[in-house]
Amino acid sequence: MVMKLAKAIHAPSVVVVDPRFEAYQELVESARSGRIGLHLRSSGAEGLALAKKHPVDAWLVAADLDDMSGLDFVELLRSQLEASKATDSEGGEQRVAIVSEVPGKPGHWEATEHGADHSMVKPISMADLETFLEMTPAEREMILPGRDLARSILTLPVSMGAAVVALAVVMLG
Protein backbone atom coordinates (compact mmCIF):
# COMPACT_ATOMS: atom_id res chain seq x y z
CA MET A 1 0.00 0.00 0.00
CA VAL A 2 1.84 3.10 -1.25
CA MET A 3 0.92 6.66 -0.32
CA LYS A 4 -0.64 8.29 -3.40
CA LEU A 5 0.50 11.83 -4.12
CA ALA A 6 -0.89 12.29 -7.63
CA LYS A 7 -3.18 15.20 -6.72
CA ALA A 8 -0.64 17.50 -5.14
CA ILE A 9 2.79 17.40 -3.64
CA HIS A 10 2.46 18.42 -0.01
CA ALA A 11 4.12 17.92 3.32
CA PRO A 12 2.48 15.06 5.21
CA SER A 13 -0.01 16.10 7.84
CA VAL A 14 0.46 14.16 11.08
CA VAL A 15 -1.58 14.05 14.27
CA VAL A 16 -0.03 12.81 17.51
CA VAL A 17 -2.54 11.79 20.18
CA ASP A 18 -0.46 11.28 23.31
CA PRO A 19 -0.39 13.06 26.69
CA ARG A 20 3.44 12.78 26.69
CA PHE A 21 4.86 14.76 23.74
CA GLU A 22 8.57 14.43 24.62
CA ALA A 23 8.92 11.27 22.46
CA TYR A 24 8.11 13.29 19.33
CA GLN A 25 10.83 15.97 19.51
CA GLU A 26 12.26 15.15 16.08
CA LEU A 27 8.79 15.47 14.54
CA VAL A 28 8.32 18.83 16.28
CA GLU A 29 11.61 20.06 14.83
CA SER A 30 10.58 18.81 11.38
CA ALA A 31 7.29 20.68 11.70
CA ARG A 32 9.14 23.88 12.63
CA SER A 33 11.23 23.55 9.47
CA GLY A 34 8.14 22.96 7.32
CA ARG A 35 8.87 19.33 6.51
CA ILE A 36 5.56 18.11 7.98
CA GLY A 37 2.32 19.52 9.32
CA LEU A 38 1.98 18.43 12.95
CA HIS A 39 -0.95 18.55 15.36
CA LEU A 40 -0.48 17.49 18.98
CA ARG A 41 -3.46 16.37 21.05
CA SER A 42 -3.22 15.10 24.61
CA SER A 43 -6.49 13.14 24.84
CA GLY A 44 -8.61 10.86 22.73
CA ALA A 45 -11.55 13.27 22.84
CA GLU A 46 -9.38 16.09 21.44
CA GLY A 47 -8.07 13.78 18.72
CA LEU A 48 -11.55 12.69 17.66
CA ALA A 49 -12.68 16.32 17.54
CA LEU A 50 -9.78 17.12 15.21
CA ALA A 51 -10.61 14.13 12.99
CA LYS A 52 -13.99 15.70 12.25
CA LYS A 53 -12.37 18.91 11.02
CA HIS A 54 -9.04 18.06 9.45
CA PRO A 55 -8.02 15.15 7.20
CA VAL A 56 -4.46 13.98 7.80
CA ASP A 57 -2.00 11.49 6.32
CA ALA A 58 -0.93 9.79 9.56
CA TRP A 59 -2.21 9.31 13.09
CA LEU A 60 0.28 8.37 15.83
CA VAL A 61 -1.74 7.23 18.84
CA ALA A 62 -0.31 6.35 22.25
CA ALA A 63 -1.28 2.94 23.55
CA ASP A 64 -2.38 4.59 26.81
CA LEU A 65 -4.28 7.87 26.75
CA ASP A 66 -5.60 9.72 29.78
CA ASP A 67 -9.26 9.34 28.82
CA MET A 68 -9.30 5.97 26.98
CA SER A 69 -7.03 3.25 25.67
CA GLY A 70 -5.27 3.86 22.39
CA LEU A 71 -6.89 0.75 20.94
CA ASP A 72 -10.36 2.09 21.80
CA PHE A 73 -9.40 5.42 20.23
CA VAL A 74 -8.33 3.68 17.01
CA GLU A 75 -11.66 1.84 16.78
CA LEU A 76 -13.59 5.10 17.31
CA LEU A 77 -11.37 6.94 14.83
CA ARG A 78 -11.78 4.25 12.15
CA SER A 79 -15.56 4.28 12.50
CA GLN A 80 -15.58 8.08 12.31
CA LEU A 81 -13.31 8.05 9.23
CA GLU A 82 -15.50 5.44 7.53
CA ALA A 83 -18.61 7.53 8.20
CA SER A 84 -16.98 10.65 6.77
CA LYS A 85 -15.62 8.71 3.77
CA ALA A 86 -19.20 7.72 2.89
CA THR A 87 -20.16 11.40 2.63
CA ASP A 88 -16.86 12.77 1.25
CA SER A 89 -15.31 10.95 -1.69
CA GLU A 90 -12.31 13.36 -1.70
CA GLY A 91 -10.84 12.01 1.53
CA GLY A 92 -7.59 10.11 1.09
CA GLU A 93 -6.25 7.21 3.07
CA GLN A 94 -5.36 8.05 6.65
CA ARG A 95 -2.84 5.67 8.16
CA VAL A 96 -2.98 4.93 11.90
CA ALA A 97 -0.21 3.62 14.17
CA ILE A 98 -0.32 2.64 17.81
CA VAL A 99 2.75 4.00 19.63
CA SER A 100 3.97 2.36 22.82
CA GLU A 101 6.74 2.75 25.36
CA VAL A 102 7.63 -0.95 25.27
CA PRO A 103 8.03 -3.15 22.17
CA GLY A 104 5.14 -5.58 21.79
CA LYS A 105 2.75 -3.75 24.17
CA PRO A 106 0.31 -3.90 22.41
CA GLY A 107 1.51 -6.35 19.82
CA HIS A 108 1.25 -5.71 16.10
CA TRP A 109 -1.52 -8.29 15.72
CA GLU A 110 -3.60 -6.73 18.51
CA ALA A 111 -3.10 -3.25 17.05
CA THR A 112 -4.18 -4.31 13.57
CA GLU A 113 -7.14 -6.21 15.00
CA HIS A 114 -8.39 -2.90 16.44
CA GLY A 115 -7.93 -1.04 13.14
CA ALA A 116 -4.35 0.27 13.29
CA ASP A 117 -2.12 -0.12 10.26
CA HIS A 118 1.08 -0.43 12.26
CA SER A 119 2.60 -0.40 15.74
CA MET A 120 5.64 1.69 16.67
CA VAL A 121 7.90 2.20 19.70
CA LYS A 122 8.84 5.59 21.16
CA PRO A 123 10.73 7.77 20.40
CA ILE A 124 9.45 8.41 16.87
CA SER A 125 11.88 9.77 14.28
CA MET A 126 11.34 11.25 10.81
CA ALA A 127 12.74 8.02 9.35
CA ASP A 128 10.07 6.07 11.29
CA LEU A 129 7.38 8.37 9.92
CA GLU A 130 8.66 8.14 6.34
CA THR A 131 8.71 4.34 6.59
CA PHE A 132 5.23 4.29 8.11
CA LEU A 133 3.89 6.42 5.25
CA GLU A 134 5.69 4.12 2.77
CA MET A 135 7.26 7.09 1.04
CA THR A 136 9.52 6.45 -1.92
CA PRO A 137 12.93 8.17 -2.05
CA ALA A 138 11.58 10.51 -4.76
CA GLU A 139 8.61 11.50 -2.56
CA ARG A 140 10.93 12.07 0.38
CA GLU A 141 13.12 14.35 -1.73
CA MET A 142 10.20 16.34 -3.17
CA ILE A 143 8.07 16.62 -0.04
CA LEU A 144 10.66 16.56 2.69
CA PRO A 145 13.41 18.86 1.42
CA GLY A 146 16.86 18.87 2.96
CA ARG A 147 17.34 20.26 6.43
CA ASP A 148 19.96 22.91 5.74
CA LEU A 149 19.70 26.36 4.16
CA ALA A 150 22.78 25.85 1.97
CA ARG A 151 21.02 23.09 0.06
CA SER A 152 17.93 25.20 -0.59
CA ILE A 153 20.06 28.10 -1.83
CA LEU A 154 21.92 25.80 -4.20
CA THR A 155 18.68 24.50 -5.71
CA LEU A 156 17.46 28.00 -6.55
CA PRO A 157 18.30 29.50 -9.93
CA VAL A 158 21.68 31.28 -9.79
CA SER A 159 20.13 34.76 -9.79
CA MET A 160 17.76 33.84 -6.94
CA GLY A 161 20.61 32.27 -4.97
CA ALA A 162 22.72 35.40 -5.39
CA ALA A 163 19.80 37.54 -4.24
CA VAL A 164 19.30 35.41 -1.13
CA VAL A 165 23.00 35.58 -0.28
CA ALA A 166 23.06 39.37 -0.84
CA LEU A 167 20.02 39.80 1.40
CA ALA A 168 21.64 37.69 4.11
CA VAL A 169 24.84 39.78 3.92
CA VAL A 170 22.84 43.02 4.18
CA MET A 171 20.89 41.71 7.16
CA LEU A 172 24.02 40.53 8.97
CA GLY A 173 26.03 43.67 8.12
Side-chain angles (χ1 to χ4, degrees), residues 21-154:
F21 301 128
E22 61 276 356
Y24 306 92
Q25 286 302 97
E26 188 173 333
L27 298 184
V28 170
E29 291 302 318
S30 294
R32 285 186 184 139
S33 68
R35 297 180 74 207
I36 62 171
L38 183 63
H39 301 272
L40 302 171
R41 297 296 183 264
S42 62
S43 70
E46 292 173 353
L48 291 172
L50 181 65
K52 292 177 184 176
K53 301 175 190 173
H54 187 70
V56 299
D57 297 305
W59 290 84
L60 303 177
V61 181
D64 296 311
L65 302 171
D66 291 341
D67 57 349
M68 65 181 76
S69 81
L71 296 174
D72 290 341
F73 175 85
V74 170
E75 287 181 353
L76 292 169
L77 175 66
R78 283 295 186 195
S79 64
Q80 186 172 314
L81 294 176
E82 287 300 316
S84 67
K85 192 183 286 186
T87 61
D88 179 20
S89 61
E90 292 282 321
E93 178 186 6
Q94 297 188 37
R95 298 185 49 84
V96 181
I98 290 287
V99 181
S100 64
E101 304 276 342
V102 180
K105 303 280 184 188
H108 183 72
W109 180 84
E110 185 179 9
T112 56
E113 186 178 69
H114 284 79
D117 299 301
H118 194 60
S119 59
M120 303 170 91
V121 179
K122 294 178 185 179
I124 306 300
S125 68
M126 274 304 294
D128 295 333
L129 180 63
E130 291 168 355
T131 301
F132 174 57
L133 290 173
E134 297 178 348
M135 296 175 73
T136 65
E139 289 170 333
R140 290 176 185 160
E141 189 64 30
M142 292 171 66
I143 296 171
L144 305 172
R147 293 182 176 98
D148 56 3
L149 179 61
R151 179 162 182 246
S152 62
I153 290 174
L154 291 175

